Amino acid sequence: MANRYETVFIMTPVLSDDQTKETVNKFKDFIVSNGGEIKHEEDWGMKKLAYPIQKKTTGFYHLIEFESDGQVIGNLETQFKRDERIIRFLTVGLDKYGVAYVEKRRRLKAEKEQENKTPKED
């Protein structure tokens, strides 16, 4: 049975847009090629780090939510460690409450965006 996971990784800030997209696609392809299914992803963009990592103070953050077997996680994290563009990563398993929370958060965000798109009538 597949479990739901959420992984956030930080890429080095010296990457171009194309390099950032290539890096994200590399890990998405890895998940899919190992039998996983991408459920959601968010590009959080460049953010300031809480403390310097490898003498860097900023990084590109990206979140991927996916379903896969547990064996994929170890291999995915090995891929993160081998890639010099990744400066930090964290993968967590979501229980049923975590899945419900992220789906509710996404739904509320979509509703808020929809409200902002509709023109206000005075």
Side-chain angles (χ1 to χ4, degrees), residues 30-64:
F30 180 84
I31 292 167
V32 171
S33 67
N34 283 284
E37 180 185 347
I38 306 291
K39 292 295 187 180
H40 181 71
E41 70 172 300
E42 292 179 18
D43 180 7
W44 293 348
M46 174 93 71
K47 295 201 176 284
K48 187 172 180 356
L49 303 175
Y51 53 88
I53 302 171
Q54 300 172 3
K55 299 183 181 175
K56 294 171 180 66
T57 57
T58 58
F60 290 108
Y61 282 66
H62 200 86
L63 172 135
I64 300 175

Short mmCIF file of all heavy atoms in Angstrom, two decimals, residues 30-64:
data_model
loop_
_atom_site.label_atom_id
_atom_site.label_comp_id
_atom_site.label_asym_id
_atom_site.label_seq_id
_atom_site.Cartn_x
_atom_site.Cartn_y
_atom_site.Cartn_z
N PHE A 30 12.17 11.01 -10.68
CA PHE A 30 12.66 9.91 -9.85
C PHE A 30 11.50 9.27 -9.09
O PHE A 30 11.38 8.05 -9.03
CB PHE A 30 13.74 10.40 -8.88
CG PHE A 30 14.27 9.31 -8.01
CD1 PHE A 30 15.27 8.47 -8.46
CD2 PHE A 30 13.75 9.10 -6.74
CE1 PHE A 30 15.75 7.43 -7.67
CE2 PHE A 30 14.22 8.07 -5.94
CZ PHE A 30 15.23 7.23 -6.40
N ILE A 31 10.64 10.10 -8.49
CA ILE A 31 9.50 9.59 -7.73
C ILE A 31 8.57 8.78 -8.64
O ILE A 31 8.18 7.66 -8.32
CB ILE A 31 8.73 10.74 -7.05
CG1 ILE A 31 9.60 11.38 -5.95
CG2 ILE A 31 7.40 10.27 -6.48
CD1 ILE A 31 9.08 12.70 -5.43
N VAL A 32 8.23 9.35 -9.79
CA VAL A 32 7.30 8.69 -10.72
C VAL A 32 7.91 7.40 -11.28
O VAL A 32 7.22 6.37 -11.37
CB VAL A 32 6.89 9.66 -11.86
CG1 VAL A 32 6.10 8.94 -12.93
CG2 VAL A 32 6.08 10.82 -11.29
N SER A 33 9.19 7.43 -11.63
CA SER A 33 9.82 6.24 -12.22
C SER A 33 9.95 5.10 -11.20
O SER A 33 10.14 3.95 -11.58
CB SER A 33 11.19 6.59 -12.80
OG SER A 33 12.09 6.94 -11.77
N ASN A 34 9.85 5.42 -9.91
CA ASN A 34 9.91 4.40 -8.87
C ASN A 34 8.51 4.04 -8.35
O ASN A 34 8.36 3.55 -7.24
CB ASN A 34 10.80 4.86 -7.72
CG ASN A 34 12.26 4.73 -8.07
OD1 ASN A 34 12.81 3.64 -8.08
ND2 ASN A 34 12.88 5.85 -8.41
N GLY A 35 7.50 4.31 -9.17
CA GLY A 35 6.14 3.89 -8.83
C GLY A 35 5.36 4.87 -7.98
O GLY A 35 4.27 4.55 -7.52
N GLY A 36 5.89 6.07 -7.77
CA GLY A 36 5.18 7.07 -6.97
C GLY A 36 4.23 7.88 -7.83
O GLY A 36 4.27 7.84 -9.06
N GLU A 37 3.38 8.63 -7.17
CA GLU A 37 2.43 9.50 -7.86
C GLU A 37 2.47 10.87 -7.21
O GLU A 37 2.26 11.01 -6.00
CB GLU A 37 1.02 8.92 -7.76
CG GLU A 37 -0.02 9.74 -8.44
CD GLU A 37 -1.44 9.22 -8.22
OE1 GLU A 37 -1.60 8.08 -7.74
OE2 GLU A 37 -2.38 9.98 -8.51
N ILE A 38 2.76 11.90 -8.00
CA ILE A 38 2.82 13.27 -7.50
C ILE A 38 1.39 13.75 -7.26
O ILE A 38 0.54 13.70 -8.16
CB ILE A 38 3.51 14.22 -8.51
CG1 ILE A 38 4.89 13.70 -8.91
CG2 ILE A 38 3.58 15.64 -7.96
CD1 ILE A 38 5.93 13.73 -7.85
N LYS A 39 1.10 14.19 -6.04
CA LYS A 39 -0.24 14.68 -5.71
C LYS A 39 -0.32 16.19 -5.79
O LYS A 39 -1.35 16.75 -6.16
CB LYS A 39 -0.63 14.24 -4.29
CG LYS A 39 -0.83 12.75 -4.16
CD LYS A 39 -2.01 12.32 -4.98
CE LYS A 39 -2.37 10.88 -4.74
NZ LYS A 39 -3.51 10.47 -5.53
N HIS A 40 0.76 16.87 -5.42
CA HIS A 40 0.76 18.33 -5.38
C HIS A 40 2.19 18.81 -5.30
O HIS A 40 3.06 18.12 -4.77
CB HIS A 40 -0.03 18.81 -4.16
CG HIS A 40 -0.12 20.30 -4.04
ND1 HIS A 40 -0.87 21.07 -4.89
CD2 HIS A 40 0.47 21.16 -3.19
CE1 HIS A 40 -0.75 22.34 -4.54
NE2 HIS A 40 0.06 22.42 -3.51
N GLU A 41 2.43 20.00 -5.80
CA GLU A 41 3.75 20.61 -5.62
C GLU A 41 3.59 22.12 -5.53
O GLU A 41 2.64 22.68 -6.04
CB GLU A 41 4.72 20.23 -6.74
CG GLU A 41 4.40 20.84 -8.07
CD GLU A 41 5.51 20.58 -9.07
OE1 GLU A 41 6.65 21.00 -8.83
OE2 GLU A 41 5.21 19.96 -10.09
N GLU A 42 4.51 22.73 -4.82
CA GLU A 42 4.51 24.19 -4.66
C GLU A 42 5.93 24.69 -4.78
O GLU A 42 6.85 24.13 -4.19
CB GLU A 42 3.97 24.59 -3.28
CG GLU A 42 2.51 24.31 -3.07
CD GLU A 42 2.03 24.71 -1.68
OE1 GLU A 42 2.72 25.50 -1.00
OE2 GLU A 42 0.98 24.21 -1.27
N ASP A 43 6.09 25.75 -5.54
CA ASP A 43 7.37 26.43 -5.65
C ASP A 43 7.30 27.62 -4.70
O ASP A 43 6.54 28.56 -4.94
CB ASP A 43 7.61 26.88 -7.09
CG ASP A 43 8.95 27.59 -7.25
OD1 ASP A 43 9.74 27.62 -6.29
OD2 ASP A 43 9.19 28.12 -8.35
N TRP A 44 8.07 27.57 -3.63
CA TRP A 44 8.02 28.64 -2.64
C TRP A 44 8.98 29.77 -2.98
O TRP A 44 9.00 30.80 -2.31
CB TRP A 44 8.33 28.09 -1.25
CG TRP A 44 7.27 27.17 -0.73
CD1 TRP A 44 6.03 26.97 -1.24
CD2 TRP A 44 7.36 26.33 0.41
NE1 TRP A 44 5.34 26.04 -0.49
CE2 TRP A 44 6.15 25.63 0.54
CE3 TRP A 44 8.36 26.08 1.34
CZ2 TRP A 44 5.90 24.72 1.56
CZ3 TRP A 44 8.12 25.17 2.35
CH2 TRP A 44 6.90 24.50 2.45
N GLY A 45 9.82 29.57 -3.98
CA GLY A 45 10.72 30.63 -4.43
C GLY A 45 11.92 30.82 -3.51
O GLY A 45 12.22 29.99 -2.64
N MET A 46 12.61 31.93 -3.72
CA MET A 46 13.81 32.26 -2.95
C MET A 46 13.41 32.78 -1.57
O MET A 46 12.57 33.66 -1.46
CB MET A 46 14.62 33.32 -3.69
CG MET A 46 15.81 33.83 -2.93
SD MET A 46 17.33 32.98 -3.26
CE MET A 46 17.71 33.53 -4.89
N LYS A 47 13.99 32.19 -0.55
CA LYS A 47 13.72 32.62 0.83
C LYS A 47 15.03 32.74 1.59
O LYS A 47 16.01 32.07 1.28
CB LYS A 47 12.82 31.61 1.54
CG LYS A 47 11.43 31.50 0.95
CD LYS A 47 10.48 30.93 1.96
CE LYS A 47 9.08 30.89 1.46
NZ LYS A 47 8.41 32.15 1.43
N LYS A 48 15.01 33.59 2.60
CA LYS A 48 16.18 33.73 3.47
C LYS A 48 16.23 32.54 4.42
O LYS A 48 15.21 32.13 4.96
CB LYS A 48 16.04 35.04 4.26
CG LYS A 48 17.26 35.40 5.07
CD LYS A 48 17.10 36.80 5.64
CE LYS A 48 18.23 37.30 6.48
NZ LYS A 48 19.34 36.46 6.76
N LEU A 49 17.42 32.00 4.61
CA LEU A 49 17.59 30.88 5.52
C LEU A 49 17.68 31.39 6.96
O LEU A 49 18.14 32.51 7.20
CB LEU A 49 18.87 30.11 5.18
CG LEU A 49 18.95 29.56 3.75
CD1 LEU A 49 20.32 28.93 3.51
CD2 LEU A 49 17.86 28.55 3.50
N ALA A 50 17.28 30.58 7.91
CA ALA A 50 17.34 30.96 9.32
C ALA A 50 18.79 31.11 9.79
O ALA A 50 19.08 31.89 10.67
CB ALA A 50 16.61 29.93 10.17
N TYR A 51 19.68 30.34 9.17
CA TYR A 51 21.11 30.41 9.49
C TYR A 51 21.87 30.00 8.23
O TYR A 51 21.33 29.30 7.37
CB TYR A 51 21.46 29.48 10.66
CG TYR A 51 20.99 28.06 10.47
CD1 TYR A 51 21.79 27.12 9.82
CD2 TYR A 51 19.74 27.66 10.91
CE1 TYR A 51 21.36 25.82 9.63
CE2 TYR A 51 19.30 26.36 10.71
CZ TYR A 51 20.12 25.45 10.08
OH TYR A 51 19.69 24.16 9.87
N PRO A 52 23.10 30.46 8.09
CA PRO A 52 23.86 30.13 6.87
C PRO A 52 24.11 28.62 6.75
O PRO A 52 24.40 27.95 7.73
CB PRO A 52 25.19 30.87 7.05
CG PRO A 52 24.92 31.91 8.09
CD PRO A 52 23.84 31.37 8.96
N ILE A 53 23.95 28.11 5.52
CA ILE A 53 24.25 26.72 5.20
C ILE A 53 25.23 26.75 4.05
O ILE A 53 24.95 27.35 3.01
CB ILE A 53 22.97 25.95 4.79
CG1 ILE A 53 21.92 26.00 5.90
CG2 ILE A 53 23.32 24.50 4.44
CD1 ILE A 53 20.57 25.44 5.50
N GLN A 54 26.38 26.13 4.22
CA GLN A 54 27.43 26.13 3.20
C GLN A 54 27.74 27.55 2.73
O GLN A 54 27.87 27.83 1.55
CB GLN A 54 27.03 25.26 2.00
CG GLN A 54 26.78 23.82 2.36
CD GLN A 54 26.19 23.03 1.20
OE1 GLN A 54 26.01 23.54 0.09
NE2 GLN A 54 25.87 21.77 1.46
N LYS A 55 27.80 28.48 3.68
CA LYS A 55 28.09 29.90 3.45
C LYS A 55 27.03 30.60 2.59
O LYS A 55 27.28 31.65 2.02
CB LYS A 55 29.47 30.08 2.83
CG LYS A 55 30.59 29.56 3.72
CD LYS A 55 31.92 29.81 3.10
CE LYS A 55 33.01 29.26 4.03
NZ LYS A 55 34.33 29.36 3.44
N LYS A 56 25.85 30.03 2.50
CA LYS A 56 24.75 30.64 1.75
C LYS A 56 23.69 31.11 2.74
O LYS A 56 23.42 30.44 3.73
CB LYS A 56 24.16 29.64 0.75
CG LYS A 56 25.16 29.26 -0.34
CD LYS A 56 24.64 28.13 -1.18
CE LYS A 56 25.61 27.75 -2.27
NZ LYS A 56 26.87 27.20 -1.79
N THR A 57 23.07 32.25 2.44
CA THR A 57 22.06 32.79 3.34
C THR A 57 20.66 32.74 2.74
O THR A 57 19.69 33.08 3.41
CB THR A 57 22.38 34.25 3.71
OG1 THR A 57 22.50 35.02 2.51
CG2 THR A 57 23.68 34.34 4.50
N THR A 58 20.54 32.34 1.46
CA THR A 58 19.24 32.20 0.81
C THR A 58 19.22 30.89 0.02
O THR A 58 20.27 30.29 -0.22
CB THR A 58 18.95 33.36 -0.17
OG1 THR A 58 19.97 33.40 -1.15
CG2 THR A 58 18.85 34.69 0.55
N GLY A 59 18.02 30.49 -0.38
CA GLY A 59 17.88 29.28 -1.18
C GLY A 59 16.50 29.21 -1.80
O GLY A 59 15.57 29.86 -1.35
N PHE A 60 16.40 28.41 -2.87
CA PHE A 60 15.11 28.18 -3.52
C PHE A 60 14.43 27.00 -2.84
O PHE A 60 14.97 25.90 -2.81
CB PHE A 60 15.31 27.84 -5.01
CG PHE A 60 15.77 29.00 -5.84
CD1 PHE A 60 17.06 29.05 -6.32
CD2 PHE A 60 14.91 30.04 -6.16
CE1 PHE A 60 17.51 30.11 -7.09
CE2 PHE A 60 15.33 31.10 -6.93
CZ PHE A 60 16.64 31.14 -7.40
N TYR A 61 13.23 27.23 -2.32
CA TYR A 61 12.47 26.19 -1.63
C TYR A 61 11.46 25.57 -2.59
O TYR A 61 10.83 26.28 -3.38
CB TYR A 61 11.69 26.78 -0.46
CG TYR A 61 12.50 27.07 0.78
CD1 TYR A 61 13.49 28.04 0.78
CD2 TYR A 61 12.27 26.38 1.95
CE1 TYR A 61 14.23 28.31 1.92
CE2 TYR A 61 13.00 26.64 3.10
CZ TYR A 61 13.98 27.61 3.08
OH TYR A 61 14.71 27.87 4.20
N HIS A 62 11.27 24.24 -2.48
CA HIS A 62 10.27 23.57 -3.30
C HIS A 62 9.66 22.43 -2.48
O HIS A 62 10.38 21.71 -1.79
CB HIS A 62 10.89 23.02 -4.58
CG HIS A 62 9.87 22.75 -5.64
ND1 HIS A 62 9.44 23.73 -6.51
CD2 HIS A 62 9.18 21.65 -5.96
CE1 HIS A 62 8.53 23.21 -7.32
NE2 HIS A 62 8.35 21.95 -7.00
N LEU A 63 8.34 22.27 -2.57
CA LEU A 63 7.62 21.22 -1.86
C LEU A 63 6.99 20.28 -2.88
O LEU A 63 6.45 20.73 -3.89
CB LEU A 63 6.52 21.84 -1.00
CG LEU A 63 5.55 20.85 -0.35
CD1 LEU A 63 5.33 21.23 1.10
CD2 LEU A 63 4.23 20.81 -1.08
N ILE A 64 7.11 18.98 -2.62
CA ILE A 64 6.44 17.97 -3.44
C ILE A 64 5.68 17.05 -2.49
O ILE A 64 6.25 16.51 -1.55
CB ILE A 64 7.43 17.14 -4.28
CG1 ILE A 64 8.23 18.04 -5.22
CG2 ILE A 64 6.69 16.08 -5.08
CD1 ILE A 64 9.32 17.32 -5.99
#
